Amino acid sequence: MTEDEIYRTSTQYRLWSFTPETLASLRATTNATAAGCVRDAFRNLDLNPKEGGKIEDNGEVDCLTIEEEQKIVGYYCLRTLDFVDFCEYPTNVKATAVQYLKRFYLSNSPMTYHPKEIMPTAVYLAMKSEDNFHYVKSFAEKLQNISTEDILAPEFLLTQGLRFTFDVRHPFHGLEGGFMELLAFTNGKGQGGPWIEKSPKELREDMMGIDPVPGSSMKATSVKELVSRIQNAHGKAKEILKTSALLTDAYFLYTPSQIWLSTLLMADRPLARFYIDTKIPATANMKPKLWTVLESCAGMLRSSPAAQPDKEEKKELKRIDKKLAKCRNPQKMDLVGMNQAQKRDPDQNGSGLDENVAKKRKLEREKSMKESEDLFGPALSKEDGTHRHGQADT
């Protein structure tokens, strides 16, 4: 199987890859559904403006727009980056946590579940997924006014929103592999495609002759300068992957290889062109299409929000947050309480339990609680020739 065929079997491609149109449609549906649920909930509770809901002239709650939802989710993605950097967790944890947050809010609205409550859980789940596990108590200590229950309560909701798929294919590995290949060309050991008849040393000479980086008039005159140029491009591309690629919709619209190649294009266009020319022949029909895709992805990455909102953006975020406080679904605000209720009674569909089933569950819970009081667990069956825990064999 080719690398492309392997990627097409991944859940990221099958479940989390979209066209711009389907992505916009999905967000519109989520927003409309959530707004309907919020308005129904306010009607059922018979709330008035003084009790928390801002009611418009037509008697409806003033809900968030799609654009406002995107801005508030984007802000908490920024907060996620800052928090993970503060905790000094690895880059893959940061990248996965942000993608969990973005994936969750494709099918859930901030009006239903506030990003402030989902964000710590997304980071905690990303730590486990990326094999960087910490005990929840030590993790909670890094957050202000957050208990372990606050982190664990939304975990099942988050996994549902992620459709129980935790694998995130990042472009970081592709970036490192690509730059290792570029460095191999500088050592006279690089290999081009089978249609290239030049030797590795001739390819190195071609690499020395590529146009300078935009903004510079000097070409590399030595291997050392060429290596420095590659390393500089690598640093710029990696920084883009750690910020812009995470904060935009790039992961939903492009493959990991397209994303990292786009960052190389942004960092050093002539170097990117040389690299792609060694991979794809000039006569290939796919080459113009690839360049179109890379230019499109690079344009998206350039449009990424700033790492720190400016004064006007902060003012807008405060406005949206105040609006959100007045249009949150009142039935979904207490995640800890919902989680505890679900544990007490898993049947939450409103139909209620059959009386006999309820009694049976109550007896099972009481039996379980009684057995849990025994430090060594319940007694083992004597019919199996076993002894009680804690008794010595005679």
Side-chain angles (χ1 to χ4, degrees):
M1 293 179 69
T2 65
E3 185 176 341
D4 185 60
E5 289 172 334
I6 293 173
Y7 176 71
R8 288 174 184 272
T9 65
S10 69
T11 55
Q12 180 160 317
Y13 177 79
R14 291 186 290 107
L15 301 178
W16 301 106
S17 293
F18 309 93
T19 63
E21 294 75 22
T22 55
L23 187 61
S25 176
L26 180 58
R27 284 173 171 155
T29 300
T30 298
N31 175 265
T33 302
C37 291
V38 167
R39 287 167 180 148
D40 288 343
F42 271 74
R43 290 192 197 100
N44 292 338
L45 294 174
D46 195 25
L47 291 181
N48 58 49
K50 292 182 180 180
E51 292 171 321
K54 180 184 177 183
I55 310 300
E56 296 177 321
D57 294 338
N58 59 5
E60 295 290 351
V61 180
D62 184 18
C63 294
L64 297 185
T65 64
I66 301 170
E67 292 74 19
E68 288 171 335
E69 287 188 327
Q70 286 299 102
K71 287 180 180 179
I72 200 72
V73 171
Y75 171 70
Y76 279 95
C77 287
L78 280 171
R79 291 282 303 274
T80 301
L81 298 183
D82 293 338
F83 172 66
V84 175
D85 285 340
F86 170 77
C87 296
E88 299 183 340
Y89 295 146
T91 298
N92 58 336
V93 171
K94 173 167 61 177
T96 297
V98 171
Q99 293 312 306
Y100 282 175
L101 206 60
K102 293 176 75 69
R103 289 180 180 184
F104 178 79
Y105 283 106
L106 286 185
S107 56
N108 294 276
S109 167
M111 293 183 288
T112 309
Y113 304 112
H114 199 295
K116 178 174 62 177
E117 298 172 347
I118 301 298
M119 184 197 78
T121 308
V123 176
Y124 183 64
L125 187 60
M127 289 164 59
K128 293 193 285 186
S129 299
E130 296 295 341
D131 197 24
N132 193 61
F133 179 74
H134 289 67
Y135 287 107
V136 66
K137 184 177 180 180
S138 63
F139 175 69
E141 290 173 350
K142 298 179 182 293
L143 294 156
Q144 291 183 346
N145 303 320
I146 297 290
S147 67
T148 57
E149 189 63 27
D150 291 326
I151 295 167
L152 297 177
E155 191 168 34
F156 185 68
L157 280 173
L158 178 58
T159 57
Q160 280 183 313
L162 297 177
R163 302 173 72 174
F164 301 98
T165 58
F166 308 109
D167 179 43
V168 181
R169 303 294 178 95
H170 296 294
F172 299 107
H173 291 305
L175 175 70
E176 299 305 322
F179 277 89
M180 287 177 66
E181 288 184 292
L182 287 171
L183 289 173
F185 281 113
T186 67
N187 296 326
K189 298 178 181 179
Q191 296 291 331
W195 66 91
I196 296 179
E197 298 179 352
K198 295 182 178 180
S199 67
K201 291 186 177 181
E202 289 175 323
L203 287 173
R204 180 173 64 185
E205 292 303 315
D206 289 347
M207 195 178 191
M208 294 280 290
I210 63 175
D211 292 335
V213 182
S216 173
S217 59
M218 298 292 293
K219 294 183 180 181
T221 57
S222 66
V223 172
K224 184 178 180 180
E225 290 182 359
L226 191 58
V227 169
S228 177
R229 175 176 178 172
I230 292 172
Q231 290 174 338
N232 186 47
H234 172 266
K236 291 180 179 179
K238 191 171 184 178
E239 189 60 30
I240 296 171
L241 290 183
K242 291 164 61 177
T243 52
S244 301
L246 299 178
L247 299 174
T248 61
D249 288 333
Y251 276 66
F252 292 139
L253 301 175
Y254 303 98
T255 67
S257 56
Q258 290 169 347
I259 295 172
W260 83 257
L261 282 170
S262 297
T263 64
L264 176 59
L265 188 68
M266 295 169 66
D268 192 328
R269 177 178 288 271
L271 196 61
R273 185 173 292 277
F274 171 83
Y275 180 79
I276 292 173
D277 286 345
T278 65
K279 297 293 181 182
I280 304 173
T283 56
N285 293 330
M286 67 171 291
K287 200 164 188 178
K289 296 179 181 178
L290 175 62
W291 278 110
T292 300
V293 171
L294 296 184
E295 293 285 6
S296 174
C297 182
M300 173 173 283
L301 297 177
R302 291 189 187 98
S303 68
S304 170
Q308 294 297 330
D310 59 27
K311 185 177 180 180
E312 289 300 316
E313 289 172 332
K314 287 181 179 179
K315 184 178 179 180
E316 174 67 0
L317 287 167
K318 286 182 179 179
R319 181 193 67 79
I320 296 172
D321 194 50
K322 288 181 179 179
K323 182 178 178 181
L324 176 57
K326 297 179 180 180
C327 65
R328 288 188 63 188
N329 190 330
Q331 298 176 342
K332 303 289 186 180
M333 293 178 70
D334 184 9
L335 294 183
V336 173
M338 289 168 55
N339 184 55
Q340 292 173 345
Q342 181 69 20
K343 289 178 180 179
R344 289 194 301 268
D345 183 4
D347 183 43
Q348 296 291 324
N349 57 14
S351 61
L353 289 175
D354 178 81
E355 185 178 355
N356 291 330
V357 175
K359 288 181 178 179
K360 183 178 179 181
R361 289 190 178 180
K362 182 179 179 181
L363 290 172
E364 288 175 347
R365 287 196 298 268
E366 289 175 350
K367 181 181 177 182
S368 177
M369 291 175 65
K370 184 177 180 181
E371 290 176 343
S372 67
E373 293 175 358
D374 184 353
L375 176 63
F376 296 102
L380 296 175
S381 172
K382 292 185 179 181
E383 295 177 0
D384 298 330
T386 57
H387 301 268
R388 283 182 176 272
H389 284 282
Q391 285 185 331
D393 292 335
T394 56

